[in-house]
Amino acid sequence: MSVLLQIGRALLLGVVILSSTFVWAQGTDTRQEERSAQAIFEEANGYLGRRYQEFNKQKLAYDPKLEAQVKKEQRELAIKNAALLQSRELTGDDRYYLGLLYHLAADGDAALATMQRFIKDNPDGDKPQAARNVIVLYSVKKDKLADALAVIEDYSKHKPQSSDDRYKMEFLLADTFLRTKDFTQMAVHAEQMLIAAKSFANERKAEVSKRDDMLLKSSFLLADAYDKTSRKELAISTMQDLRRMSMSLPSGNLYKFATIRLAGLAPTTDLNKVSEELAKGPVNSSLPEIIGTQWIDQEPRKLAELRGQVVLLDFWAPWCGPCRYTFPKLTLWHQAYKDKGLVILGLTKYFGHDDEKALSPAEEIAYLRQFKKQNRLPYGFVVADNDVNNLNYGVFSIPMSFLIDRRGVVRFISAGADPGEIAELGKMIKKLIDEPVESKVESSQK
């Protein structure tokens, strides 16, 4: 596109934005006066979405200056609508929406005062609890930590309560105490963050990425706070607990970062201790099922059907160099243990290409079959048409392998292709193969 055409397009876009804003500015008539407080707020709150939809229809490239301009217009609209709402007699939830408009307009003082007045007359319900979130945010920003603490305490006495909201409020305080190097208070609020994160993990199992982020941040902050206050054993225990959770969920992403942090805290820690604990614990009946649109050299099987066998789920891709590095070991393990109960499944997905060109799904399956033959890989492949398996198992980097014992319990996660990591995986495979078959299957049936 020529420079002149780009300039002309930008000018046209500017006219569109200005004309839209002008129409809205002229729209303050009796119809606006009749609108509900919620409608007045939602007009401003949805401004960005509406503008971005217009930009997408016009196929405009991303422009940070344009983004800043649109956000500025949203704030201006929020200010205008707040003034409109403020001029009316406020009843019911009107003050709540007024507080949200001030929040959208980045007027912290007005948002804080408005929300404080709202919850004074409305202590219970979704909106008052959401208002407390806003109050904590601006109280922390204004360094009024005692006020923020009081509001969180107030939040805990009213209903409904959200683990997500509690996490966010506690994070604001933990982060503040981290920056002021008050590690004792940081630990107090990181502990509450972790409690909220665990509740979130139980309540909203499908939100894997957010769940992992919450568990990781809260655990890391808590371990750091313990370490800084001469409570290293508690810091180590926190990371061990995170590794334990990462296998029970399961989440390769959590396991990877928890293991790295634990190694930094205590290099001599026995990393297999968690595996031994899980060997004696209950069976995780909610282990995510493997989803595949194509199974290559392997009959489709459910994990429950593989109970009594040791299962290795290997997440990989044909373009992944480190994945190829593990192929000889995977082949060796298959040959050594296939008759003793080891089942290896190579999990991948459609990527729509090979090393050189784009491929249709049918062409990609043919490519994978040829790839498997050329690399002499004797175990089965499972091919998904989306990221469902990666998301269910928290796989955000490859190669990554999950070793499941005969009861259906994840006992080890291998993240990467480091020789030491591969050697440890090999030891764990042998260990699980050598565990008694009958006692494991019987215990899973109790």
Side-chain angles (χ1 to χ4, degrees):
M1 184 185 293
S2 69
V3 173
L4 285 175
L5 186 55
Q6 288 181 6
I7 294 173
R9 196 173 189 178
L11 288 173
L12 176 61
L13 178 61
V15 171
V16 170
I17 293 173
L18 290 173
S19 63
S20 298
T21 305
F22 178 76
V23 168
W24 279 349
Q26 295 297 309
T28 307
D29 54 20
T30 55
R31 285 176 298 176
Q32 287 221 27
E33 294 295 341
E34 293 171 356
R35 289 184 304 164
S36 68
Q38 182 177 355
I40 292 172
F41 162 70
E42 288 177 350
E43 178 187 46
N45 191 49
Y47 183 85
L48 286 183
R50 292 192 297 274
R51 295 280 71 78
Y52 289 158
Q53 284 181 359
E54 290 182 11
F55 301 158
N56 288 335
K57 288 179 182 178
Q58 297 173 39
K59 298 182 179 179
L60 294 173
Y62 173 73
D63 182 348
K65 291 183 179 179
L66 178 59
E67 181 182 39
Q69 172 64 23
V70 174
K71 287 182 176 179
K72 178 174 179 289
E73 291 167 359
Q74 184 186 43
R75 289 194 298 272
E76 290 171 349
L77 180 60
I79 291 170
K80 179 178 76 71
N81 283 10
L84 170 65
L85 196 53
Q86 181 66 60
S87 68
R88 299 180 357 180
E89 181 179 351
L90 302 179
T91 60
D93 295 332
D94 290 359
R95 200 172 300 280
Y96 169 73
Y97 290 109
L98 177 60
L100 290 181
L101 281 167
Y102 284 134
H103 174 53
L104 200 59
D107 188 342
D109 289 334
L112 184 60
T114 303
M115 289 305 197
Q116 285 173 331
R117 186 170 175 183
F118 173 69
I119 65 169
K120 184 178 180 180
D121 299 326
N122 303 271
D124 274 304
D126 289 313
K127 293 181 179 64
Q129 292 290 66
R132 290 183 176 96
N133 273 262
V134 176
I135 294 171
V136 170
L137 171 65
Y138 287 109
S139 294
V140 170
K141 281 188 175 184
K142 294 178 179 301
D143 203 29
K144 297 180 178 180
L145 300 186
D147 290 352
L149 288 167
V151 172
I152 291 178
E153 178 66 22
D154 195 36
Y155 178 93
S156 67
K157 296 176 181 178
H158 294 88
K159 302 291 183 182
Q161 295 180 20
S162 159
S163 55
D164 191 8
D165 286 344
R166 183 62 185 264
Y167 173 90
K168 291 173 184 175
M169 291 187 290
E170 296 291 353
F171 172 74
L172 288 170
L173 285 166
D175 184 60
T176 297
F177 287 121
L178 169 63
R179 287 185 280 105
T180 59
K181 301 187 185 311
D182 186 343
F183 299 114
T184 299
Q185 284 300 311
M186 173 184 163
V188 170
H189 296 285
E191 286 170 355
Q192 292 301 317
M193 280 177 65
L194 184 53
I195 291 171
K198 288 179 178 179
S199 294
F200 183 91
N202 289 327
E203 296 162 2
R204 294 157 71 171
K205 299 180 187 299
E207 298 180 50
V208 175
S209 180
K210 187 172 183 177
R211 175 203 72 191
D212 282 8
D213 184 65
M214 290 169 68
L215 287 170
L216 195 64
K217 282 182 179 176
S218 54
S219 295
F220 271 44
L221 280 172
L222 183 56
D224 286 348
Y226 284 149
D227 193 30
K228 295 289 187 181
T229 52
S230 302
R231 292 179 284 177
K232 195 164 189 174
E233 287 303 316
L234 284 176
I236 293 171
S237 177
T238 299
M239 285 299 106
Q240 288 174 329
D241 185 46
L242 184 60
R243 290 181 80 244
R244 190 180 300 106
M245 280 191 290
S246 72
M247 283 196 269
S248 63
L249 285 170
S251 171
N253 182 55
L254 280 182
Y255 179 90
K256 178 179 178 179
F257 288 108
T259 300
I260 292 171
R261 184 70 182 97
L262 182 58
L265 281 169
T268 61
T269 298
D270 179 9
L271 296 179
N272 291 327
K273 180 181 178 183
V274 171
S275 178
E276 296 302 317
E277 293 173 357
L278 291 170
K280 302 171 185 176
V283 173
N284 180 6
S285 59
S286 62
L287 200 64
E289 195 52 75
I290 297 304
I291 307 298
T293 55
Q294 288 286 338
W295 294 64
I296 300 177
D297 296 341
Q298 169 68 53
E299 287 295 320
R301 303 289 297 275
K302 293 185 179 296
L303 289 177
E305 296 171 350
L306 295 173
R307 292 284 175 88
Q309 300 183 76
V310 176
V311 180
L312 180 63
L313 305 178
D314 181 58
F315 286 80
W316 71 288
W319 46 260
C320 168
C323 298
R324 297 188 184 199
Y325 181 78
T326 67
F327 288 167
K329 286 294 185 182
L330 290 166
T331 299
L332 181 63
W333 294 329
H334 172 83
Q335 293 170 342
Y337 301 121
K338 64 178 180 178
D339 295 330
K340 297 181 179 180
L342 178 65
V343 176
I344 300 177
L345 297 175
L347 274 61
T348 188
K349 68 168 191 168
Y350 292 108
F351 289 97
H353 61 82
D354 59 12
D355 294 333
E356 299 176 352
K357 60 183 181 300
L359 299 174
S360 69
E363 290 172 334
E364 192 163 0
I365 289 296
Y367 164 69
L368 286 171
R369 291 185 185 278
Q370 184 63 25
F371 182 95
K372 188 175 186 295
K373 183 177 179 180
Q374 288 177 343
N375 287 276
R376 299 179 180 179
L377 300 176
Y379 51 87
F381 288 179
V382 184
V383 187
D385 60 2
N386 53 42
D387 289 318
V388 61
N389 293 321
N390 299 64
L391 291 174
N392 285 343
Y393 280 81
V395 175
F396 302 125
S397 64
I398 51 175
M400 186 169 286
S401 299
F402 296 76
L403 186 60
I404 305 170
D405 71 13
R406 299 183 191 275
R407 300 176 305 147
V409 175
V410 174
R411 294 277 297 282
F412 188 78
I413 300 175
S414 176
D418 178 80
E421 188 80 9
I422 295 174
E424 196 62 38
L425 176 58
K427 291 178 184 177
M428 288 300 299
I429 290 173
K430 185 178 185 307
K431 177 179 176 60
L432 268 58
I433 287 292
D434 290 342
E435 289 179 347
V437 178
E438 291 184 2
S439 62
K440 292 297 176 185
V441 175
E442 287 172 3
S443 64
S444 70
Q445 295 172 345
K446 290 181 180 179

